[in-house]
Amino acid sequence: MSDGPLIVGVGGSLRSGSTTEAVLRYALDRASDEGARVRLVAGEDLVLPPYQPGRRDAEGGAAFIGAVREADGLIIASPGYHGTVSGLTKNALDYLEELRGDDPPYLTGRPVGCVATAFGWQAAVTTLVTLRQVVHALRGWPSPLGVAINMADHPLDADGNLVEDRARELLSTVAAEVCGFALARAAGTSSEESQTA
Ligand SMILES: Cc1cc2nc3c(=O)[nH]c(=O)nc-3n(C[C@H](O)[C@H](O)[C@H](O)COP(=O)(O)O)c2cc1C
């Protein structure tokens, strides 16, 4: 981790002007303010064939898997589709099964900020809860704060800028938590290394 932690943002939708991608970009900008290097994997980057176990790094999955493998922390943002994580996002997350054989496996030890959008609170919250469960299953550390954003409250302006103060505050907090955890983990890892050297 030479120039700050690498935080990879994953999510959004294929809709032109995806609001989920806009809030994810906002969170990554805040992570950048915290000194992180950031990378966005969104929209068409997530268009992968349905994940097929055993067909390693199939058709474009390699780039996504590689980005996650390199990440010191993640921020995942999904729209709520029928009360849960969208198929686009979930299919991409299924590809992380390819990290099973890594040492350590999956997202072990890495912080993950979870963000959900929906056109109502109910699906925003259920989608957020599901995202956190997926992160647990992948052995990542969901950040203490998760963010559910109700797009029916119009938190974005016509140009796609996030203008709602509360959403800005929550996303900034999640970005700070993910960066702080990644830095603390890196410091812990290097002190463990110096103790065993
Ligand atoms: C297929 C589909 C299913 C959806 N299901 C729900 C839902 O169950 N509850 C809800 O509040 N919003 C639902 N929505 C609305 C989206 O969650 C919401 O508009 C979201 O912010 C869109 O994100 P995007 O702009 O990134 O595409 C649905 C939208 C689509 C396209």
Side-chain angles (χ1 to χ4, degrees):
M1 197 189 289
S2 51
D3 291 304
L6 174 64
I7 306 301
V8 173
V10 177
S13 78
L14 296 179
R15 213 165 60 79
S16 165
S18 166
T19 54
T20 313
E21 183 176 325
V23 300
L24 178 57
R25 284 178 185 274
Y26 182 87
L28 286 182
D29 285 347
R30 300 294 71 75
S32 183
D33 291 346
E34 297 284 332
R37 294 169 294 134
V38 298
R39 192 180 302 169
L40 176 68
V41 185
E44 294 291 335
D45 300 338
L46 297 174
V47 178
L48 304 172
Y51 177 66
Q52 187 179 327
R55 193 170 143 209
R56 278 192 70 84
D57 296 357
E59 295 177 44
F64 173 65
I65 295 161
V68 173
R69 196 171 261 144
E70 266 185 64
D72 299 302
L74 296 163
I75 299 177
I76 303 175
S78 176
Y81 278 7
H82 308 141
T84 191
V85 175
S86 70
L88 182 80
T89 313
K90 184 58 173 67
N91 185 50
L93 294 175
D94 288 349
Y95 271 75
L96 300 185
E97 182 60 18
E98 297 296 323
L99 304 182
R100 175 191 181 138
D102 285 11
D103 181 18
Y106 300 113
L107 302 179
T108 300
R110 288 184 280 170
V112 184
C114 297
V115 179
T117 69
F119 212 72
W121 285 116
Q122 180 170 292
V125 171
T126 53
T127 301
L128 174 62
V129 170
T130 304
L131 265 183
R132 295 170 71 116
Q133 287 175 331
V134 171
V135 171
H136 269 150
L138 289 167
R139 307 191 198 176
W141 292 69
S143 61
L145 186 66
V147 184
I149 299 180
N150 182 357
M151 291 302 173
D153 288 344
H154 304 294
L156 301 174
D157 68 14
D159 297 321
N161 299 306
L162 186 65
V163 290
E164 189 187 80
D165 286 345
R166 184 67 181 144
R168 290 163 66 106
E169 188 185 322
L170 293 172
L171 291 164
S172 301
T173 301
V174 164
E177 287 179 349
V178 170
C179 293
F181 191 106
L183 284 169
R185 178 169 175 251
T189 307
S190 57
S191 94
E192 270 172 37
E193 279 166 2
S194 61
Q195 280 170 24
T196 53

